């Protein structure tokens, strides 16, 4: 059975409000569950109710403009603004840019054709929300794994014996090949000296990390492996974000043929982490 989109309407013009309610209820896609003359009344209603959609006029009496108050609307309910004055549409754009739940701004009056536009905006928002929800869950799981999963690394003693150490993946900065002992040298936070992994290749080490914590690390050809959470680019090199183990600057050069691809992957990872921190919502998949 088709589920109609339950919405509330906000407009100080009673005649426009009743006309809009009638247009919505005659459509096959929308059902009005409440109408309000002021933003305060609507916000009070939203404290205890969760409609599918909020549709609000922009201009209210006493120069009260809806887009000045959109931060007060719940982040998990899509909001569409409407106005009969194009000047308000232009003015509102910079102020609503950071409100992810604003799905669009439409002109009044809302005709049946504009309701189809609204339906498309709503469906597009829900699709993006589902994608972001999956990305959020994947990112949250990746960060949790980084804290919980540990790598077995080694320190060489004066008698050349190896002492194992179990280091969380979140502490890893980068790993590079070391020809002297045919293995890897591994740099980690909170450690004054690097660790070693004898008789291990970059491929083997990367496969181990990626199986424990998919997406956290990046292999740079034959040059090395970096933890994307702890590194960034500086010119043609990858450096530590917060180097806490040594005064010597740690860096890994990016091969020319991989520079553009590597920087793009690191940029995408940063955007993913920023989105995770900015929109910490959890939805069922």
């Amino acid at each position: 059975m088709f589920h109609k989109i339950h919405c509330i309407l906000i407009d100080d013009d009673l005649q426009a409000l009743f006309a809009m309610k009638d247009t919505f209820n005659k459509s096959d896609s929308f059902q009005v569950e409440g109408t309000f003359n002021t933003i305060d009344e609507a916000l009070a209603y939203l404290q205890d109710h969760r409609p599918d959609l909020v549709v609000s006029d922009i201009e209210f009496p006493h120069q009260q403009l809806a887009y000045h108050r959109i931060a007060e609307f719940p982040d998990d309910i899509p909001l569409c603004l409407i106005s009969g004055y194009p000047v308000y549409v232009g003015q509102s754009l910079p102020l609503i840019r950071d409100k992810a739940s604003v799905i669009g701004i439409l002109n009044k009056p809302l005709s049946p054709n504009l309701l189809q536009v609204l339906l498309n905006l709503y469906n597009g928002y829900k699709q993006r929300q589902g994608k972001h929800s999956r990305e959020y869950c994947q990112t949250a799981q990746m960060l949790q794994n980084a804290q919980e999963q540990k790598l077995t690394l080694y320190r060489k003693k004066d008698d050349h014996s190896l002492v194992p150490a179990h280091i969380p993946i979140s502490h890893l900065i980068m790993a590079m090949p070391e020809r002297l002992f045919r293995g890897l040298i591994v740099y980690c936070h909170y450690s004054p000296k690097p660790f070693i992994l004898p008789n291990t290749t970059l491929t083997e080490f990367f496969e181990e990390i990626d199986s424990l914590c998919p997406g956290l690390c990046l292999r740079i050809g034959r040059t090395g492996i970096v933890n994307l959470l702890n590194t960034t680019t500086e010119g043609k090199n990858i450096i530590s974000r917060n180097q806490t183990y040594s005064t010597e600057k740690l860096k890994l050069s990016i091969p020319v043929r991989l520079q553009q691809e590597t920087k793009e992957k690191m940029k995408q990872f940063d955007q993913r982490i920023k989105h995770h921190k900015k929109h910490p919502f959890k939805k069922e998949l």
Side-chain angles (χ1 to χ4, degrees):
M1 182 177 179
F2 177 73
H3 170 69
K4 285 194 173 186
I5 300 167
H6 289 256
C7 58
I8 66 169
L9 310 177
I10 314 170
D11 198 319
D12 65 292
D13 185 333
L14 288 177
Q15 184 175 358
L17 190 62
F18 290 143
M20 188 161 50
K21 178 181 178 181
D22 185 59
T23 302
F24 272 75
N25 284 337
K26 285 181 179 178
S27 74
D28 295 329
S29 303
F30 298 93
Q31 177 67 49
V32 177
E33 67 175 50
T35 58
F36 303 92
N37 295 126
T38 69
I39 294 176
D40 289 327
E41 291 174 346
L43 291 175
Y45 179 84
L46 292 173
Q47 290 181 0
D48 301 315
H49 301 81
R50 280 293 180 271
D52 300 317
L53 173 68
V54 175
V55 179
S56 175
D57 190 19
I58 286 182
E59 184 186 22
F60 287 83
H62 311 297
Q63 295 185 332
Q64 181 183 182
L65 301 175
Y67 58 81
H68 286 153
R69 303 189 62 186
I70 60 172
E72 300 176 48
F73 285 89
D75 288 331
D76 60 340
I77 302 177
L79 169 66
C80 180
L81 298 174
I82 56 174
S83 176
Y85 302 95
V87 62
Y88 289 127
V89 175
Q91 289 176 354
S92 65
L93 288 177
L95 295 172
I96 68 172
R97 196 165 292 157
D98 291 333
K99 185 73 171 177
S101 60
V102 177
I103 62 175
I105 308 173
L106 298 179
N107 292 321
K108 295 172 66 176
L110 285 184
S111 64
N113 288 338
L114 280 180
L115 284 191
Q116 182 61 49
V117 175
L118 178 58
L119 178 62
N120 294 339
L121 290 172
Y122 177 84
N123 289 335
Y125 168 84
K126 298 300 286 185
Q127 290 175 359
R128 292 192 302 274
Q129 187 187 46
K131 176 185 176 183
H132 290 159
S133 179
R134 288 190 294 273
E135 289 179 350
Y136 172 86
C137 292
Q138 291 168 356
T139 303
Q141 186 64 56
M142 176 188 67
L143 296 177
Q144 181 179 342
N145 288 348
Q147 296 289 338
E148 296 176 353
Q149 300 291 345
K150 295 184 177 181
L151 302 168
T152 301
L153 307 175
Y154 296 90
R155 282 265 169 72
K156 184 179 287 187
K157 296 178 68 176
D158 293 338
D159 61 359
H160 301 291
S161 63
L162 297 179
V163 179
H166 305 290
I167 310 298
I169 296 179
S170 59
H171 289 192
L172 173 68
I173 301 175
M174 61 180 66
M176 293 177 278
E178 178 53 68
R179 294 181 180 178
L180 292 177
F181 53 83
R182 296 184 180 179
L184 304 177
I185 184 168
V186 184
Y187 296 90
C188 297
H189 282 310
Y190 317 114
S191 175
K193 294 181 180 180
F195 296 89
I196 63 171
L197 270 176
N199 303 315
T200 304
T201 65
L202 281 176
T203 299
E204 292 170 339
F205 190 46
F206 179 75
E207 288 177 351
E208 177 186 1
I209 298 172
D210 204 49
S211 66
L212 296 173
C213 192
L216 183 72
C217 292
L218 180 65
R219 179 181 170 183
I220 315 298
R222 299 178 181 178
T223 307
I225 296 169
V226 296
N227 181 338
L228 295 171
L229 201 61
N230 295 333
T231 54
T232 186
T233 57
E234 183 182 79
K236 299 178 181 179
N237 300 313
I238 296 176
I239 64 171
S240 172
R241 290 183 188 270
N242 300 294
Q243 192 164 324
T244 58
Y245 63 90
S246 171
T247 56
E248 182 183 352
K249 192 171 185 179
L250 176 62
K251 65 181 181 181
L252 184 147
S253 61
I254 312 171
V256 175
R257 62 184 178 84
L258 297 177
Q259 284 178 13
Q260 183 175 353
E261 178 186 355
T262 298
K263 290 184 177 182
E264 183 60 32
K265 287 182 178 179
M266 297 187 78
K267 180 181 178 181
Q268 290 173 358
F269 182 88
D270 284 345
Q271 291 173 342
R272 181 179 173 187
I273 295 298
K274 286 178 182 177
H275 184 274
H276 171 268
K277 292 179 178 178
K278 188 176 180 180
H279 304 288
F281 57 84
K282 294 183 180 180
K283 301 288 184 182
E284 292 183 2
L285 299 183

